[in-house]
Amino acid sequence: MDFSALLTKLFGRKGGNPVQTILEELHILQQKLESAAVRIGFIGEAGVGKSSLINAMLGRAVAPVGSTTVAHNPEGEQYQHEGVTLVDLPGTGVPERPFKSYVEDLKLLEPGRYDAFVLVSSHRLRENEVTLYDVLHKKGGKPSFVVRSHFDAAVQSEGNEAEARRKIEDAFRKHLGDPRLRVYMVSSPNPTRYDLPALLHDLVSSLPDEHKRVRLLAAVPAYTRELVQKKREAAETIVYVYAGLAAANGLNPIPGTDILLDMGLLQKMTRQVVGEFGLQRDQLESLAKLKVGPANLDFMLDAARTVLARMVEGGLVAFFKEAGSEAAKQVTQKTGKTVARYGSKYAPHIGRLVSAGIGFGTAYYYGRFLLDDCDKALSQIVNRLGENMIG
């Protein structure tokens, strides 16, 4: 959306107090963004690779893998990050979890409790897994995704990736009674290879609520350029909301200008946008520990150095001056008529709100510059992550 369209959206309202309406809408959006939560359940026997998949999906080692023994919670092991909860559900059909009451006991179909399910298998599907998939997905209407883990081993055994895919897909489709079923082939140690990026993309797309999609995209790594673009689209919502609120509050003058903005909200916007792209230092450190491809921590920090510089107040001010100049130019050259039209009409109400568009424009263009830098930095990292992972 260009600046003129944004101004039109902000001021082109009929009836009522436009300022109050705008602020109310922005505050509602802010609350929805900050309160959104996503919960995904993982189904599958022990040892099929659920923990490795969870770690690869979150870009951090939160779930123990390998020979580590975990005293399983009867409700399932929960792994949380950035408002996203991934639940490794307990096995079905064991004495403490009889299958006939499994769904009811764990409240799997309770409204609002789970957003989606992931069925993981490294071998043939069990009867209980097939029945559970049927109950949750076909009868319960829950988005459910089927994953074949350890696919690299299957390819090695078969000697041909295409043939391995065909055999696995045929078997899974037959057992689950769906000839068009998408089976996601994954190898968690190599997350940029095979279908994990597609799984992340489709999980996000399955969420009907925009704010949940923003939340999930903030938690998962961008293993492909397509996921980088998805993250950018989500981050644009954050920029729109916080740019408007920062201009409306107008608490602090930007040094060297006469523009008033709420620096605290803009710093919060910066942290959230950088976090949405997974470029905060702790996020990069966690991703580096997974040893995905040849992108080590030094490379990732170097790629993100411009973005990380904006995380401190001194780094913000210089960029705000640049953004203020761009906003003033845009208002004068491209959107002067829009501001005059709505600014004069609502002048008694607008007051300091976006200062005839300049305050909002400064915050908005700062956000656009931040999006561009984050996009560039993450694209460099994604390109490096994908090296030597094909074939």
Side-chain angles (χ1 to χ4, degrees):
M1 184 181 295
D2 63 25
F3 186 48
S4 179
L6 281 168
L7 282 176
T8 301
K9 187 173 183 179
L10 283 171
F11 297 118
R13 315 265 178 151
K14 294 182 179 180
N17 183 334
V19 174
Q20 188 61 34
T21 301
I22 292 165
L23 290 179
E24 287 175 357
E25 289 189 7
L26 290 175
H27 279 297
I28 290 172
L29 284 172
Q30 180 191 25
Q31 291 170 4
K32 288 182 176 179
L33 285 171
E34 294 180 356
S35 64
V38 178
R39 187 180 181 89
I40 300 172
F42 287 72
I43 304 163
E45 300 295 320
V48 298
K50 288 181 293 180
S51 294
S52 295
L53 178 59
I54 287 171
N55 290 340
M57 288 177 63
L58 291 179
R60 54 185 59 222
V62 295
V65 297
S67 59
T68 304
T69 300
V70 179
H72 286 287
N73 186 319
E75 303 299 316
E77 295 298 326
Q78 300 186 30
Y79 304 101
Q80 298 177 321
H81 177 59
E82 299 288 349
V84 173
T85 302
L86 304 185
V87 184
D88 184 351
L89 294 166
T92 62
V94 295
E96 59 271 24
R97 278 281 174 250
F99 184 77
K100 65 178 182 179
S101 61
Y102 185 85
V103 173
E104 182 178 350
D105 289 346
L106 293 175
K107 303 176 182 178
L108 299 185
L109 290 177
E110 181 180 281
R113 183 167 176 80
Y114 280 92
D115 295 288
F117 294 95
V118 177
L119 170 59
V120 186
S121 178
S122 64
H123 40 66
R124 296 178 180 177
L125 293 170
R126 310 294 187 188
E127 182 180 352
N128 281 346
E129 294 170 341
V130 173
T131 305
L132 187 57
Y133 177 86
D134 184 74
V135 170
L136 296 176
H137 181 59
K138 295 181 180 180
K139 297 178 181 177
K142 287 290 183 179
S144 299
F145 301 84
V146 179
V147 171
R148 173 53 158 87
S149 59
H150 306 311
F151 184 59
D152 50 341
V155 172
Q156 184 177 9
S157 175
E158 194 63 40
N160 181 284
E161 179 180 334
E163 186 63 14
R165 280 183 179 274
R166 186 190 66 80
K167 288 186 175 181
I168 292 171
E169 287 173 346
D170 286 349
F172 278 45
R173 288 168 178 171
K174 178 181 178 181
H175 283 93
L176 293 173
D178 185 350
R180 295 179 297 178
L181 175 71
R182 171 72 187 270
V183 182
Y184 299 86
M185 314 296 175
V186 305
S187 171
S188 298
N190 301 310
T192 61
R193 194 174 183 181
Y194 307 127
D195 301 336
L196 179 57
L199 173 63
L200 295 175
H201 177 278
D202 292 348
L203 271 168
V204 171
S205 299
S206 74
L207 301 175
D209 183 272
E210 176 188 3
H211 310 98
K212 284 179 177 286
R213 294 196 293 271
V214 172
R215 177 68 71 187
L216 183 55
L217 280 164
V220 304
Y223 290 124
T224 63
R225 187 67 186 84
E226 186 177 16
L227 284 170
V228 175
Q229 181 59 35
K230 283 289 183 183
K231 281 179 172 285
R232 177 170 185 135
E233 292 170 2
E236 286 174 351
T237 301
I238 298 172
V239 168
Y240 170 72
V241 170
Y242 284 94
L245 290 173
N249 284 357
L251 300 177
N252 311 111
I254 302 302
T257 74
D258 59 356
I259 300 171
L260 293 173
L261 290 167
D262 187 330
M263 290 290 290
L265 276 174
L266 288 171
Q267 287 175 317
K268 186 172 184 177
M269 179 184 81
T270 301
R271 290 192 299 271
Q272 290 201 15
V273 169
V274 175
E276 186 77 24
F277 279 87
L279 293 172
Q280 293 186 16
R281 186 182 180 95
D282 71 303
Q283 293 173 307
L284 296 176
E285 289 175 345
S286 296
L287 185 59
K289 289 178 181 178
L290 289 182
K291 301 185 184 301
V292 179
N296 59 31
L297 180 59
D298 288 341
F299 175 85
M300 291 191 283
L301 289 175
D302 185 60
R305 66 182 184 280
T306 299
V307 171
L308 294 173
R310 298 197 188 192
M311 300 287 284
V312 296
E313 185 171 350
L316 287 173
V317 172
F319 289 111
F320 280 135
K321 289 182 179 179
E322 181 183 357
S325 298
E326 180 66 20
K329 181 175 67 175
Q330 293 291 324
V331 168
T332 301
Q333 296 180 358
K334 296 184 178 181
T335 60
K337 293 181 180 180
T338 301
V339 175
R341 176 184 175 187
Y342 298 119
S344 59
K345 183 176 181 179
Y346 296 124
H349 305 293
I350 292 175
R352 291 191 302 173
L353 180 62
V354 302
S355 184
I358 303 297
F360 175 79
T362 299
Y364 172 69
Y365 273 105
Y366 166 75
R368 288 291 298 272
F369 296 155
L370 179 61
L371 289 172
D372 289 343
D373 286 345
C374 286
D375 192 321
K376 180 179 178 181
L378 187 53
S379 293
Q380 290 181 34
I381 293 171
V382 167
N383 289 339
R384 178 61 66 91
L385 290 176
E387 291 179 6
N388 303 324
M389 287 291 184
I390 300 175

